[in-house]
Every structure is written in C-alpha cells, then in structure tokens.
Amino acid sequence: MRRVDPLLGTCSLTELRQRRSHKWRNYPPDVLPAFVAEMDFDLAGPITAAVTSALAIGDCGYAHIGQLPDAFAQFAAQRLDWTVETSRVFAIPDVMTGLAEVIQALTPPGSGIVLNPPVYPPFRFRFGFYGRRLIDAPLARGADGRYALDPDAIEAALSQPDAAAYLLCSPHNPTGNVWSRADLAMVADACQRHGAILLVDEIHAPLALAGSRFVPFLAIDHELTRAETTFTFTSATKGWNIAGLKCGVAVAAAPAGITLLEERWEALLASHLGVLASVAAFTEGLPWLDAAVGQLGQNRTLLSGLLAEHLPGVGYAPPQASFLAWLDCRDLGLGDDPSAVFLEKGSVALGHGPDFGTEGHGFARLNMGTSPELLAEVVRRMAAAR
Ligand SMILES: Cc1ncc(COP(=O)(O)O)c(C=O)c1O
C-alpha cells in the first residue's frame, strides 16, 4: 500500500470505520464517505498531547482564552503574512455561531445577506432560520470550469434595498478559489459604496495549496479593514481536522467590533479542549499542516488522472485551497443530484450539489482529504454507478 506522510498516518479503512463522527456514522458501513468536510488523516501529535494532558488532570471546565490570541497571531504572522493585534482576537465555538451572533447583532430581521453561490449550504439555511433573506451574487463560471467573483452580480445584489451584509467565503467552498488582493479590494469597495457589513469566512485559509497565495482580508490596504462592521472568522478546525472540538477564532476590525464580541461572550463560549487544541495547532502543528497540504496537493492532481481514466465526462477544475473538489457531472446525465445516484448505485457518499444553490444542479462535491488509495476507490465507485 502506498503510504501517506507518516505524520498523517495510513488512513486504514478498518481504523477509520471505528470513528464515530458524522462522516463515518451517517451512512451504513458499506458506503465509502467522501461528503462532509472531515479529513481521514491521524491527528497532529501536539493536538493529541494537548487534549490528553488536559483529560489526565480533569481539566474539562469552561474555556479560558489563554494563549489563543498569541498563538493565532503567531500563525498569522508566520504563515499568512498578517500582523494581527491580539486584543482583536476572540475564541468562538465555531465559525457559524460567530457569524450568526454578529449577523443578529448588526442586521435587522428581514434584511438581506449577500452570498456567492454555489456556496457552503449552511450559510443559506442557518441565516434563513434567523429571518434573514439570502441574496445571491453567483460566481461567474468560465468555459474552463473555473469560477470568479462577478462584480456586476455583486453590485446588483448589494443594490437591493434590504441588503445589509456580504458574507465572503475566502477561500471559497466548494470551488476552492483563493481570492486575490484585487478580488478582495473589489468586494470591499462594493461593500463600502453600499454601506454593507462585511463578514469574511477564512476557515479554509490554512490549507492554501502549492501555487496559491492566500490573502487575509484584514491584511489588505483598505478602509474597511478598520471598519466597525468588518469581521473575519476562521479556525484551526478545517486545517487540522478538529471540528468536533468546537473552537473558532473571530477577529474584529475595529474597537466597536471588539466590544460587540466581548458583550456576547456567553453566546460565544468555545470548548476548553478546543482552545487548547487550537493553540497546539497554531504553534506546534505546522509540520503536520505542511504534510497535509502536501498530500492534498498530490490528491488534487491524482484526482485529475482518476477522472480522466474512469469518468471522462466529469468537469473538474482543481482547487487552489483545501480538500474539496467541485465536480460538474451534468454530462453524465444523472439528474440534478448526481450524488444520489453515486450513493444508490456506487455506495459512495458525496455532497449534494443542489444544496449549494441552483448553480449546484448536476454537480457533486467530493472530499479529497484522504489517502490516494481511498480517493481512487471513491472514483471507482462513482464510475461503477453510472
Ligand atoms: C466555508 C465554511 N464555513 C464554515 C464551516 C463550518 O465551520 P464551523 O464548524 O466552525 O462552524 C465550514 C465547514 O465545512 C466551511 O466549509
């Protein structure tokens, strides 16, 4: 068996099937899961050590923010070329809760939030539950299958009378786009012109792959990076695969944003183990991160070959960041939700394209955060389902 980097383990299917997380328990054991955004690698050693040493002394109380701001600022400086003032950094339970609290604090019920579909489905349903209207500014899709922000669509969306906020997914899920400094400035200019709140979700940022340079929004030169209504949300949970430990990071752009987050401390309590794990990730977890990024870079190339061999009708533009592949399956003739056919006939679970917006009809999202062997098996099962 071809091994992945020793830091990442072997992705043994027998061991993975012992996991009890959503990925491994949502479907019967004969189904190979490649849907939800969890990776199959072993945990980074420093994270395991941080959590087990806390458990060993009964250290399972409420979170203290501890070293998190310093650890995040260190990571941001070393890896993202971003100088973060630690007083602006807050622990939050997860990115979605941080976004939800800020949206509820700053936008009136009934107001609109601009999104760039196809996009991470919970944005739509969670903020919909809270009585916000989602306004689509779809990404433009080129003939080569690559996506781009569409300034005209953004302008039209922000021009709607109730548009209050723009939620930018950067890097973008599911397309894997890493936005350039010019993209970010274009979005900021548009938000500024329309007085819109700008919320930036950078959860996939640690996983920018070779050839792409991730630019943190708050590191660009723009007035909105100092605005009371600009916030960045990120975490170690995608980069180091610790979503279940429940800790994210919110960064306020201005003092009023700091106050807003401070006042909502009770709604934004992270998990204590999550804080400890995130500190370990941001400080001692870089060799593991490098190994993961290296493996994902190999996997995205491998996937091109696998698709060419087994499913030549599928369109795939390799992502610039993270472990998600957004697959155009329209030529396979499998209907609006090809993942339903892959599941039923191939026993492989992918993300449902239509959940990402109408732009996702005929598409499916594949998680590549695994070994080359399991990735190959995912594609073989998809091909068998046609
Ligand atoms: C873009 C994006 N934002 C947010 C989340 C959810 O993050 P959290 O578990 O921190 O709420 C995910 C999870 O996959 C994601 O891909």
Side-chain angles (χ1 to χ4, degrees), residues 28-355:
D30 59 314
V31 170
L32 188 57
F35 67 111
V36 69
E38 296 178 25
M39 295 193 281
D40 293 344
F41 307 136
D42 284 357
L43 278 186
I47 292 178
T48 309
V51 173
T52 51
S53 69
L55 293 177
I57 58 166
D59 187 11
C60 281
Y62 289 115
H64 182 271
I65 192 164
Q67 301 306 306
L68 187 66
D70 288 322
F72 180 68
Q74 182 182 317
F75 173 73
Q78 275 181 14
R79 291 300 176 102
L80 309 178
D81 203 14
W82 175 23
T83 306
V84 184
E85 255 180 60
T86 51
S87 65
R88 291 167 191 248
V89 177
F90 289 79
I92 53 176
D94 51 55
V95 163
M96 290 302 291
T97 303
L99 283 165
E101 275 303 310
V102 172
I103 284 172
Q104 290 188 97
L106 293 180
T107 69
S111 59
I113 300 169
V114 175
L115 300 176
N116 303 117
V119 76
Y120 181 59
F123 290 164
R124 193 176 299 279
F125 62 74
R126 180 127 176 214
F127 307 132
F129 289 153
Y130 296 161
R132 301 319 187 260
R133 188 168 82 83
L134 287 315
I135 306 176
D136 287 344
L139 297 178
R141 187 165 188 276
D144 57 358
R146 299 219 151 269
Y147 287 85
L149 290 167
D150 179 346
D152 294 335
I154 291 170
E155 186 59 32
L158 286 170
S159 300
Q160 297 204 18
D162 57 352
Y166 187 122
L167 170 49
L168 178 69
C169 191
S170 171
H172 188 269
N173 171 1
T175 66
N177 275 70
V178 168
W179 306 122
S180 69
R181 214 168 270 275
D183 290 326
L184 299 176
M186 181 274 288
V187 167
D189 285 345
C191 288
Q192 193 172 29
R193 267 198 311 282
H194 291 276
I197 292 154
L198 179 52
L199 309 171
V200 190
D201 175 343
E202 298 185 350
I203 198 168
H204 290 278
L207 294 173
L209 302 179
S212 300
R213 180 84 199 147
F214 168 75
V215 183
F217 177 75
L218 290 176
I220 71 167
D221 184 15
H222 196 283
E223 217 177 299
L224 277 204
T225 63
R226 297 177 290 282
E228 294 179 3
T229 52
T230 301
F231 294 82
T232 288
F233 299 88
T234 186
S235 84
T237 58
K238 294 296 146 204
W240 286 268
N241 204 33
I242 50 174
L245 290 176
K246 286 291 173 196
C247 174
V249 168
V251 187
I258 296 177
T259 307
L260 186 152
L261 293 170
E262 274 171 355
E263 285 173 354
R264 284 161 181 76
W265 65 270
E266 204 277 336
L268 292 175
L269 271 182
S271 138
H272 177 52
L273 295 178
V275 172
L276 300 177
S278 301
V279 169
F282 288 132
T283 54
E284 301 168 80
L286 301 191
W288 188 95
L289 182 70
D290 291 340
V293 165
Q295 187 62 53
L296 297 177
Q298 288 178 35
N299 288 2
R300 77 176 159 174
T301 308
L302 176 67
L303 183 61
S304 296
L306 287 167
L307 291 172
E309 184 183 342
H310 299 286
L311 281 169
V314 170
Y316 161 62
Q320 295 170 310
S322 208
F323 45 78
L324 304 169
W326 182 236
L327 303 180
D328 179 356
C329 304
R330 289 174 297 179
D331 285 352
L332 299 183
L334 304 179
D336 276 353
D337 183 9
S339 72
V341 182
F342 295 137
L343 180 62
E344 194 194 322
K345 298 196 177 153
S347 296
V348 59
L350 273 71
H352 311 296
D355 287 355

